């Protein structure tokens, strides 16, 4: 819970606050797991409904093998029992441990997502600051133009154009894969994934900085004769950070958990691709595992953002 | 009617291409009938081939084409199919010795066979392969192909799973280290073909002593946990990314062909649009073509000879639910079905929805698999608006009057939706009848098909093994396990009974031809329309891919004889 708090014993209060938030994640995850489990089974079609139909006795043995021949409630109970022991089960498609699939995918998605996040934050905030400091001038128009284009252009279109122009036509970058440190495999996926959030951050930054620039304390700082650089860096940007952090948390969670579109277009083995593919294949194990994983990441990202509020704004305290 | 002539043209062109390919092979390398090995290849080199990632490495479980493609590179069975779809000895020393009653197969292995890890490859390994497929706990998706092996069905169908006593009754045993004896329930002319298929590949008993032992899943540790007897060994596997193959030092080279490449990388790419782009940038040397770009690809790559089309043994059309009171009416149903089929212009459909990527046909079984030529039944079921209207009138629905609104169930993909809309428009303009289109995703469509919960359903069949029985058994006889459209025709049933275990091969093939004719002309559950084709892009410096591209390919051109792949200077 976020509130104004002024007794000065903030560290202890924050620790308690974090513990409570973590404990509250348990019922949240249970709810997510339960809703996902029953929704998933309510959808028509199952993991063994193939393009080429399987004979009945093969189907029966597959259902036995993956315990989907038991009553649904029994399957649910068994899943929860395994879940509390940290066992996310097996993929119905590949028979591999879901936890292994997620771990492998997350490694790649997190690298790509973190890189895209870095690009989005640095480029987006830079564009936002330039826009705000040059309101209604060329710099502002450029920033707004970027923000508008970046927001309007879906990443599958951007990724396709990037590939056709910079890979197929110019040969500057590779079409396939992701490899940390190899610019040929990094630049296009980062641009495709990070441009939309960069544009969004640019808009939020611009609006937030313009609001702060109109505050009395900025006027006071300028009246005191502080250099414009100090006014901007120390007083304006820091105070404009709260709205940016508010959107940065979900953006970070969104980016590091993978993007089906970008991972598919660049043939990157990330977790986003697994999640969407699993839904289309009715791979119950992977659907459950990735959904719970996403719930954990989003809850954790929100918690981190709440904590960072206090860092950015000393008036915010926790109890 | 001009359309039959067009079909003939297509087949003539295909035949011409085949003749040119064979002539080229004869001039350029040695073709012993098992595949082309070009003379200008170099020793060494690497290839990177785009493919879709499979689901499993276990040949006794797998059903996906991409699984089977990889498995045929790293394992081989007792027999292998040659370019003419004829079984040839592979790990076996010769064709099987078949008992007089046709029920006992005795097979002797070649001398000195070894697994890639140096262990001897013995008869017990082949026995274990079959036992694994028959083990219910492994839930092998192609067990049904082994249904004729004595005791295999009994074990596989056991409600309580694995049963040692039942496994002991499965009709396969190692007589000694190099002799295998297989007992089948009924004489089966195609059984030697079956022994070339992946579900009979050997399992290394020294690594998996029991038939229920877990086979490694496709992951980084898999290569170290397996042994191989195919032309290549799996040296690395990165899920979602790639598999790396290198030549097997213990490959027996039964066809005299050993790999010349140092390395083959299978790059897993889900989307053919992506792999086509990667082909253009040189990141892969082979890809299946993105049909949405077919015109551009033909224009760019046909002049360079990099674009290759190969007829594929698959047939699609409009499947019809014969339990529906109108479609399956014993007196008028046939006229209704003929009216629907004859109002489908499969030539235009092929151009509009597949950019010409398929082959219009009126035969269910492709000619290469023992069926008829594509235009064989053009006069009976081919596109003919006047005949279609006449059939509908004969069924009691003149100008579509009183005809119920039927639903077309279709999977959610651009080409499938295109097909449904094409059919809908044809039915409306030619027959004056209305249909609705129900778009669902793949699993839902399959579940509805299995539950027989559909009226009209664009779909078909892809061959598992090259024999006409694979196009009939389970699919066309009354109560067949895959006969979800409920084709039920006493003449077909009688012919299936006669053909199934007929050891007179010529007569048997003739019977299947008759069945094909009955399925087609009685529109027994399907109004056939298009044969499938594979469209490839292959770099000109590769050897053995384009030359060996055939209907035997699982996914990659010439993957039925991957040992013949190489690169030229």
């Amino acid at each position: 819970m976020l509130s104004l708090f002024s007794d000065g014993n903030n560290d202890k209060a924050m620790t308690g606050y974090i513990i409570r938030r973590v404990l509250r994640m348990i019922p949240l995850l249970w709810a997510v797991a339960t809703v996902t489990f029953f929704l998933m089974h309510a959808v028509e079609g199952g993991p063994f409904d193939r393009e080429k139909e399987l004979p009945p006795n093969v189907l029966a043995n597959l259902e036995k093998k993956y315990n989907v021949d038991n009553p649904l409630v029994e399957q649910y109970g068994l899943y929860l029992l395994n879940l509390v022991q940290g066992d996310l089960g097996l993929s119905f498609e590949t028979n591999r441990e879901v936890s292994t699939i997620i771990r492998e995918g997350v490694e790649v998605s997190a690298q790509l997502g973190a890189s895209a996040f870095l690009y989005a934050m640095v480029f987006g905030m830079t564009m936002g600051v330039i826009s705000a400091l040059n309101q209604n001038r060329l710099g502002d128009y450029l920033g707004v133009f970027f923000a508008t284009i970046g927001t309007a252009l879906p990443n599958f279109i951007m990724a396709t154009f990037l590939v056709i122009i910079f890979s197929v036509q110019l040969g500057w970058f590779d079409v396939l894969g992701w490899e940390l440190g190899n610019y040929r495999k990094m630049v296009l996926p980062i641009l495709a994934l990070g441009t939309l959030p960069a544009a969004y951050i640019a808009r939020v930054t611009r609006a937030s900085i313009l609001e702060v620039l109109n505050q009395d304390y900025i006027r006071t700082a300028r009246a005191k004769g502080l250099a414009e650089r100090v006014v901007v860096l120390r007083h304006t940007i820091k105070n404009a950070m709260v709205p940016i952090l508010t959107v940065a948390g979900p953006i970070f969670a969104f980016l590091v958990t993978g993007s089906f579109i970008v991972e598919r277009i660049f043939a990157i083995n990330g977790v986003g691709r697994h999640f969407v593919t699993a839904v289309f294949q009715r791979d119950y194990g992977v659907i459950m595992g990735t959904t719970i994983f996403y719930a954990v990441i989003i809850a954790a990202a929100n918690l981190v953002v709440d904590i960072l509020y206090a860092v950015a704004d000393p008036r915010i305290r926790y109890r | 009617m001009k359309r039959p002539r067009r079909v003939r043209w297509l087949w003539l062109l295909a035949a011409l291409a085949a003749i040119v390919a064979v002539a080229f092979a004869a001039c350029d390398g040695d073709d012993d009938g098992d595949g082309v090995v070009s003379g200008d290849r170099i020793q060494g080199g690497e290839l990177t081939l785009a493919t879709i990632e499979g689901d499993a490495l276990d040949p006794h479980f797998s059903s996906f084409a991409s699984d089977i493609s990889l498995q045929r590179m790293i394992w081989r069975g007792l027999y292998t199919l040659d370019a003419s779809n004829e079984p040839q000895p592979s790990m076996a020393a010769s064709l099987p010795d078949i008992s007089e009653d046709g029920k006992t197969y005795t097979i002797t292995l070649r001398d000195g066979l070894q697994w890639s890890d140096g262990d001897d490859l013995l008869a017990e390994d082949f026995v274990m392969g079959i036992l694994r497929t028959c083990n219910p706990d492994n839930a092998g998706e192609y067990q049904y192909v082994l249904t004729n092996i004595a005791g295999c069905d009994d074990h596989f169908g056991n409600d309580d799973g694995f049963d040692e006593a039942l496994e002991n009754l499965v009709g396969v045993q190692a007589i000694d280290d190099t002799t295998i004896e297989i007992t089948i329930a009924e004489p089966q002319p195609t059984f030697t073909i079956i022994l070339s298929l992946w579900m009979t590949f050997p399992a290394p008993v020294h690594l998996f002593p029991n038939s229920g032992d877990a086979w490694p899943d496709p992951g980084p540790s898999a290569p170290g946990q397996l042994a191989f007897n195919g032309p290549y060994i799996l040296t690395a596997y990165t899920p979602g990314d790639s598999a790396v193959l290198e030549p097997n030092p213990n490959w027996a080279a039964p066809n005299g062909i050993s790999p010349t490449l140092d390395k083959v990388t299978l790059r897993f790419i889900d989307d053919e649009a992506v792999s086509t782009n990667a082909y253009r940038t040189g990141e892969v040397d082979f890809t299946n073509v993105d049909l949405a770009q077919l015109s551009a690809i033909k224009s760019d790559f046909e002049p360079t000879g990099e674009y290759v089309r190969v007829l594929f043994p698959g047939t699609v059309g409009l499947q019809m639910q014969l339990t529906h009171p109108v479609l399956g009416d014993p007196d008028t149903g046939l006229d209704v079905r003929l009216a629907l089929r004859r109002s489908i212009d499969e030539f235009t459909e092929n151009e509009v929805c597949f950019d010409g990527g398929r082959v219009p046909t009126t035969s269910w079984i492709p000619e290469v698999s023992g069926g008829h030529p594509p235009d064989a039944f053009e006069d009976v079921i081919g596109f003919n608006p006047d005949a279609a209207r006449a059939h509908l009138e004969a069924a009691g629905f003149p100008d579509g009057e009183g005809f119920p609104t039927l639903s077309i169930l279709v999977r959610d993909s651009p080409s499938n939706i295109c097909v449904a809309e094409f059919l809908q428009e044809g039915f409306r303009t030619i027959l004056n009848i209305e249909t609705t289109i129900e778009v669902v995703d793949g699993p839902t469509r399959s579940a509805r098909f299995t539950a027989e919960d559909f009226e009209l359903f664009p779909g078909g069949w892809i061959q598992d093994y090259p024999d006409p029985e694979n196009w009939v058994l389970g699919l066309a006889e009354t109560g067949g396990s895959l006969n979800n459209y409920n084709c039920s025709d006493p003449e077909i049933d009688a012919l299936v009974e006669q053909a199934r275990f007929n050891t007179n091969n010529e007569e048997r093939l003739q019977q299947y031809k008759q069945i094909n004719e009955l399925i087609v002309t009685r529109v027994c559950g399907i109004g056939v329309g298009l044969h499938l084709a594979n469209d490839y892009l292959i770099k000109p410096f590769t050897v053995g891919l384009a030359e060996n591209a055939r209907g035997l390919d699982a996914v990659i051109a010439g993957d039925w004889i991957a040992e013949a792949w190489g690169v030229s200077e």
Side-chain angles (χ1 to χ4, degrees):
Chain A
M1 183 183 294
L2 196 62
S3 72
L4 292 175
F5 193 69
S6 58
D7 70 356
N9 195 14
N10 197 34
D11 287 353
K12 199 173 170 186
M14 188 178 282
T15 307
Y17 171 76
I18 292 170
I19 291 170
R20 283 197 304 278
R21 283 282 299 266
V22 170
L23 288 175
R24 276 182 208 155
M25 282 170 65
I26 294 170
L28 172 76
L29 292 180
W30 169 78
V32 167
T34 303
V35 169
T36 308
F37 185 90
F38 287 103
L39 270 181
M40 181 177 78
H41 282 87
V43 175
E44 202 167 9
F48 311 120
D49 285 316
R50 303 277 162 79
E51 183 72 23
K52 197 162 184 173
E53 188 193 348
L54 295 168
N57 59 348
V58 173
L59 196 59
N61 282 338
L62 278 169
E63 287 177 345
K64 245 183 272 176
K65 181 173 176 175
Y66 289 97
N67 289 320
V68 290
D69 58 336
N70 296 326
L72 197 57
V73 175
E74 205 174 302
Q75 292 177 46
Y76 171 69
L78 187 65
Y79 187 83
L80 285 188
L81 192 65
N82 289 333
L83 186 63
V84 295
Q85 297 171 63
D87 180 3
L88 290 175
L90 294 174
S91 160
F92 285 46
E93 286 296 317
T94 65
N95 206 42
R96 301 183 70 216
E97 293 278 350
V98 171
S99 52
T100 307
I101 293 172
I102 292 176
R103 196 189 65 238
E104 289 168 354
V106 163
E107 209 172 297
V108 176
S109 290
Q111 286 177 8
L112 170 58
S115 307
F117 181 73
L118 195 65
Y119 153 67
M121 288 298 284
V122 171
F123 193 69
M125 284 179 64
T126 304
M127 293 301 284
V129 170
I130 290 170
S131 276
L133 296 180
N134 296 280
Q135 193 181 11
N136 296 328
R137 283 181 286 171
L138 180 64
D140 191 20
Y141 298 146
L142 284 175
V144 171
F145 177 76
F146 165 75
T148 307
I149 291 291
T151 310
L153 208 60
N155 59 8
F156 66 91
I157 291 180
M158 176 172 291
T160 305
F161 276 122
L162 289 172
V163 166
I164 290 171
I165 295 167
F166 295 106
S167 295
V168 176
Q169 301 293 335
L170 298 173
W172 292 354
F173 304 108
D174 289 349
V175 173
L176 302 177
W178 165 264
E179 190 183 326
L180 203 58
N182 181 348
Y183 82 94
R184 287 186 64 89
K185 291 183 181 291
M186 288 181 72
V187 172
L188 297 189
I190 287 175
L191 289 177
L193 187 60
T195 298
L196 171 64
Y200 187 53
I201 287 168
R203 289 170 69 101
V204 172
T205 304
R206 179 181 180 275
S208 182
I209 285 184
L210 284 175
E211 191 186 338
V212 171
L213 284 173
N214 287 325
Q215 297 293 314
D216 290 345
Y217 58 84
I218 297 294
R219 229 171 280 133
T220 305
R222 280 178 174 149
K224 282 166 68 182
L226 286 179
E228 187 63 17
R229 183 176 55 85
V230 177
V231 172
V232 170
L233 292 178
R234 186 176 298 172
H235 297 288
T236 308
I237 293 181
K238 190 177 178 192
N239 286 303
M241 281 302 286
V242 169
I244 300 169
L245 284 175
T246 304
V247 299
I251 285 175
F252 181 77
F254 165 74
L255 290 176
V256 298
T257 49
S259 157
F260 171 71
I261 301 280
V262 172
E263 289 172 4
R264 187 176 173 95
I265 289 178
F266 293 98
I268 294 170
N269 183 32
V271 72
R273 197 167 65 153
H274 286 305
F275 178 57
V276 178
T277 308
V279 172
F280 284 118
Q281 294 176 334
R282 306 287 193 274
D283 187 341
Y284 293 157
V286 177
I287 293 172
M288 288 300 295
T290 46
T291 306
I292 291 167
F293 165 73
Y294 284 152
V296 170
I297 292 289
I298 288 166
N302 284 333
L303 176 58
V304 170
V305 168
D306 284 350
I307 293 165
L308 286 179
Y309 281 155
V311 177
D313 188 343
R315 293 172 301 170
I316 295 173
R317 295 289 184 273
Y318 299 92
R319 61 182 165 85
Chain B
M1 292 289 291
K2 290 180 179 172
R3 300 194 185 280
R5 186 169 296 168
R6 189 168 174 187
V7 177
R8 284 191 204 102
W9 260 106
L10 283 169
W11 280 87
L12 277 173
L13 280 173
L16 193 63
I19 291 165
V20 169
V22 170
F24 174 80
C27 296
D28 201 40
D30 30 310
D31 184 359
D32 56 3
D34 290 337
V36 177
V37 187
S38 180
D40 62 356
R41 70 175 55 220
I42 60 166
Q43 187 67 36
E46 297 180 7
L47 287 177
T48 301
L49 314 172
T51 183
I52 294 169
E53 185 174 20
D55 285 344
L57 282 175
D58 184 353
H60 314 111
F61 171 79
S62 286
S63 64
F64 284 100
S66 41
D67 289 349
I68 294 153
S69 176
L70 169 58
Q71 287 161 14
R72 291 199 302 205
M73 298 171 202
I74 53 182
W75 291 296
R76 285 292 163 83
L78 292 163
Y79 299 95
T80 191
L81 298 178
D82 67 14
S84 313
N85 286 334
E86 292 297 325
Q88 302 294 342
S90 180
M91 296 296 116
S94 60
L95 287 173
D97 182 15
I98 305 171
S99 64
E100 262 186 41
D101 65 0
K103 293 183 180 178
T104 305
Y105 281 60
T106 305
I107 299 150
T108 306
L109 295 181
R110 289 173 185 275
D111 290 332
L113 293 176
Q114 283 189 319
W115 289 100
S116 56
D117 61 6
D119 262 65
D120 289 338
L121 174 58
L122 304 172
E124 63 177 9
D125 298 317
F126 287 92
V127 171
M128 182 57 75
I130 290 173
L131 291 180
R132 282 181 58 81
T133 301
C134 298
N135 185 332
D137 291 351
N138 295 335
E141 297 190 6
Y142 265 85
Q143 178 275 340
Y144 71 91
V145 175
L146 304 189
T147 191
N148 197 25
I149 293 182
C152 185
D153 265 3
D154 290 340
H155 191 206
F156 194 76
N158 185 40
D159 285 341
D160 299 327
F162 172 78
D163 184 304
E164 193 174 351
L166 288 174
E167 181 168 272
N168 289 337
L169 295 175
V170 176
V172 57
Q173 58 175 324
I175 303 296
D176 56 41
D177 279 353
T178 58
T179 312
I180 303 149
E181 187 180 273
I182 302 173
T183 309
I184 56 178
E186 299 288 344
Q188 184 179 354
T190 54
F191 193 69
T192 310
I193 292 177
I194 303 295
L195 292 176
S196 74
L197 303 181
W198 62 99
M199 76 293 294
T200 67
F201 284 178
V205 172
H206 64 284
L207 299 177
F208 308 98
N210 304 300
S211 69
D213 288 340
W215 199 266
D217 302 319
S221 61
Q225 297 173 278
L226 290 163
F228 311 98
N229 77 320
Y232 297 95
I233 58 173
L234 184 66
T235 56
Y237 193 102
T238 308
D241 185 83
S242 61
V244 178
L245 310 177
E246 291 175 20
N248 178 356
N250 295 332
W251 165 236
N255 50 8
I257 304 172
S258 289
T260 54
L261 293 168
D262 291 333
K263 188 167 106 173
V264 176
T265 302
L266 303 178
R267 184 64 172 83
F268 303 138
I269 305 172
D270 295 341
D271 189 336
E272 284 166 355
V274 176
S275 58
T276 300
N277 283 334
Y279 181 87
R280 288 179 183 275
T281 61
E283 289 170 73
V284 298
D285 304 316
F286 162 88
T287 181
N288 278 273
V289 165
D290 174 23
L291 287 183
Q293 303 180 44
L294 191 56
S295 299
I297 285 166
K298 278 183 174 177
S299 144
D300 291 347
F301 295 109
E302 231 167 9
T304 64
E306 292 169 72
Y307 167 73
V308 176
R309 168 172 287 179
V310 181
L311 291 182
F312 184 74
T315 304
V316 294
L318 183 63
Q319 294 180 315
M320 306 177 194
Q321 181 51 263
L322 302 192
T323 56
H324 187 278
V326 172
L327 294 168
D329 186 282
D331 299 321
T332 59
L334 176 57
D335 272 317
V336 170
R337 300 195 296 272
L338 283 168
L340 293 174
R341 173 58 187 89
R342 304 210 75 174
S343 61
I344 302 170
D345 180 354
E346 65 271 24
F347 292 87
T348 307
E349 178 192 357
N350 184 38
E351 293 302 326
V352 170
C353 298
F354 302 104
D355 214 352
R358 296 185 171 178
V359 181
T361 185
T362 59
S363 176
W364 168 239
I365 305 177
E367 189 174 16
V368 69
S369 304
H372 291 81
D375 61 350
F377 307 109
E378 188 70 31
D379 293 342
V380 186
I381 66 161
F383 175 60
N384 185 326
D386 291 336
R389 282 188 283 267
H391 280 298
L392 198 62
E393 189 171 346
F397 303 102
D399 196 29
E401 210 174 293
F403 195 83
T405 300
L406 296 175
S407 164
I408 304 172
L409 183 67
V410 66
R411 186 162 61 91
D412 186 7
S413 78
S415 58
N416 286 315
I417 292 171
C418 174
V419 167
E421 289 174 346
F422 183 86
L423 297 175
Q424 186 181 50
E425 185 60 19
F427 296 152
R428 182 182 294 137
T429 54
I430 294 169
L431 299 176
N432 196 28
I433 63 174
E434 290 300 324
T435 48
T436 57
I437 297 173
E438 217 180 331
V439 180
V440 295
D441 72 356
T444 304
R445 173 183 173 272
S446 302
R448 295 271 302 272
F449 184 66
T450 306
E452 301 176 4
D453 180 16
F454 67 92
E455 291 171 344
L456 302 175
F457 184 98
W461 181 251
I462 292 171
Q463 176 179 281
D464 296 320
Y465 55 92
D467 190 89
E469 76 173 18
N470 186 240
W471 290 83
V472 172
L473 300 181
L475 292 160
E477 74 271 32
T478 303
S481 62
L482 305 173
N483 180 358
N484 294 315
Y485 30 78
N486 291 294
C487 166
S488 180
D489 186 300
E491 274 188 73
I492 292 176
D493 290 347
L495 279 165
V496 168
E497 274 305 303
Q498 292 167 33
R500 188 169 187 177
F501 299 119
N502 189 347
T503 51
N504 180 333
N505 205 41
E506 210 169 301
E507 193 177 271
R508 183 183 75 90
L509 294 175
Q510 195 53 43
Q511 286 162 339
Y512 279 115
K513 275 198 166 199
Q514 285 175 261
I515 294 170
N516 183 46
E517 183 171 351
L518 290 172
I519 291 171
V520 170
T521 56
R522 294 182 183 178
V523 198
C524 204
I526 181 163
V528 297
L530 299 167
H531 284 320
L532 305 181
N534 276 332
D535 296 84
Y536 303 130
L537 283 175
I538 305 171
K539 292 287 183 192
F541 59 78
T542 67
V543 177
L545 281 92
E547 299 93 325
N548 291 324
R550 291 188 171 91
L552 290 169
D553 302 337
V555 177
I556 300 171
D559 61 8
W560 60 279
I561 185 163
E563 58 269 38
W565 289 344
V567 292
S568 60
E569 287 185 85

